[in-house]
């Protein structure tokens, strides 16, 4: 009822709708509903028609959805989806993480850094999840910056320093060398970050004893 008759695309439309509901933890209302079918006994069933945007609360710690797609000649498909839990793994005494960001222009790079900063204040991600996602899930472009952060809070601060053009001993830039080295930084990580800034291929997975979970982060800011 929200997008009209999708014909053969009805099933995939339902799939996309459920995935968006899981991402935003919201249940979209069914439009144009006034009275229920008299042959459906909703009162004595666990089912109801959702008529307003509402929070999708988990049941027994899970959010599970069923999708039915009915096609031509009696063909039908049924799919059950469960949301993917984000595992927060906390560990002390971890080295700093390299947060690489790049773009086709300096303007787009600044937008990418700004988007990341705004996004992180709303999410409860671990630093290794953020670094691994950006290291292995994004293409490297001409304009680059690598931020060396110890935790998410310091990463947000580094993003602000970059946008305000403040010098920092933790920020690598695509123009020139690192201004100064922090005594707490790993020299090996400094070298890896600098190599990436210079356009070299980096084996990011070699930095991890166990592969972190990828998370949803802002996409490329196209002009």
């Amino acid at each position: 009822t929200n997008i009209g008759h999708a014909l053969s695309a009805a099933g995939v439309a339902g799939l996309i709708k459920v995935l968006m509901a899981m991402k935003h933890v919201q249940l979209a209302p069914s439009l144009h509903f006034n009275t229920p079918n008299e042959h459906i006994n909703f009162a004595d069933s666990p089912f109801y028609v959702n008529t307003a945007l509402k929070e999708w609360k988990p049941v027994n710690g899970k959010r599970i959805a069923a999708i039915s797609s009915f096609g031509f000649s009696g063909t039908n498909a049924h799919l059950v989806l469960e949301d993917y839990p984000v595992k927060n793994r906390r560990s002390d005494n971890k080295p700093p993480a390299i947060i690489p960001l790049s773009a086709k222009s300096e303007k787009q790079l600044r937008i990418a850094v700004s988007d990341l900063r705004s996004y992180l204040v709303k999410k409860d991600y671990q630093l290794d999840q953020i670094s691994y996602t950006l290291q292995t899930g994004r293409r490297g472009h001409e304009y680059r910056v690598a931020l060396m952060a110890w935790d998410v809070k310091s990463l947000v601060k580094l993003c602000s320093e970059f946008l305000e053009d403040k010098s920092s001993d933790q920020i690598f830039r695509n123009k020139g060398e690192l201004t100064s080295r922090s005594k707490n930084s790993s020299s090996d990580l400094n070298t890896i970050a600098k190599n990436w800034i210079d356009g070299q291929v980096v084996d990011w997975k070699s930095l991890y004893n166990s592969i972190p979970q990828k998370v949803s982060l802002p996409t490329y800011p196209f002009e």
Side-chain angles (χ1 to χ4, degrees):
T1 64
N2 296 67
I3 62 174
H5 293 288
L7 300 177
S8 57
V12 72
L15 173 63
I16 294 172
K17 178 180 178 180
V18 168
L19 291 175
M20 294 298 292
M22 288 181 170
K23 178 178 181 180
H24 297 286
V25 198
Q26 297 282 322
L27 292 174
S30 293
L31 301 182
H32 315 302
F33 174 81
N34 295 309
T35 57
N37 188 313
E38 61 182 4
H39 300 293
I40 302 176
N41 185 8
F42 281 107
D44 296 328
S45 79
F47 302 105
Y48 65 95
V49 179
N50 186 44
T51 58
L53 182 66
K54 59 186 294 186
E55 178 186 358
W56 189 355
K57 297 181 179 180
V59 177
N60 297 324
K62 298 180 179 181
R63 295 181 182 87
I64 300 177
I67 304 169
S68 291
S69 175
F70 304 102
F72 298 106
S73 304
T75 303
N76 62 76
H78 189 69
L79 185 67
V80 177
L81 291 181
E82 179 182 336
D83 62 343
Y84 189 65
V86 176
K87 300 177 181 178
N88 291 331
R89 297 177 289 105
R90 302 182 183 275
S91 177
D92 297 329
N93 301 320
K94 278 189 174 183
I98 303 173
I99 311 298
L101 292 163
S102 69
K104 290 280 189 177
S105 69
E106 185 174 351
K107 175 184 176 181
Q108 289 169 290
L109 179 60
R110 295 180 68 83
I111 293 174
V113 174
S114 178
D115 288 348
L116 179 63
R117 179 184 62 175
S118 300
Y119 199 78
L120 292 181
V121 298
K122 305 175 184 178
K123 298 293 182 179
D124 185 26
Y125 291 155
Q126 295 304 298
L127 187 63
D128 60 350
Q129 297 172 337
I130 299 167
S131 62
Y132 184 73
T133 299
L134 292 175
Q135 290 165 358
T136 64
R138 302 292 188 271
R139 179 182 299 177
H141 298 292
E142 293 86 347
Y143 288 79
R144 301 186 177 194
V145 61
L147 310 178
M148 301 279 287
W150 293 89
D151 51 37
V152 177
K153 183 177 180 180
S154 66
L155 175 56
V156 172
K157 180 181 178 182
L158 287 172
C159 289
S160 297
E161 290 180 357
F162 175 80
L163 295 171
E164 296 167 7
D165 290 324
K166 292 182 178 179
S167 62
S168 170
D169 59 358
Q170 292 288 334
I171 296 179
F172 291 82
R173 299 179 186 275
N174 61 313
K175 298 178 181 179
E177 300 287 337
L178 185 66
T179 55
S180 61
R181 290 178 181 269
S182 169
K183 62 182 180 180
N184 296 320
S185 295
S186 166
S187 58
D188 291 340
L189 291 178
N190 283 334
T191 301
I192 292 172
K194 183 62 171 61
N195 289 343
W196 181 80
I197 287 292
D198 291 339
Q200 298 184 28
V201 177
V202 175
D203 181 12
W204 296 111
K205 292 184 178 180
S206 66
L207 301 179
Y208 301 90
N209 293 325
S210 59
I211 298 300
Q213 176 189 3
K214 286 187 177 181
V215 292
S216 176
L217 292 173
T219 53
Y220 186 80
F222 289 101
E223 283 191 309

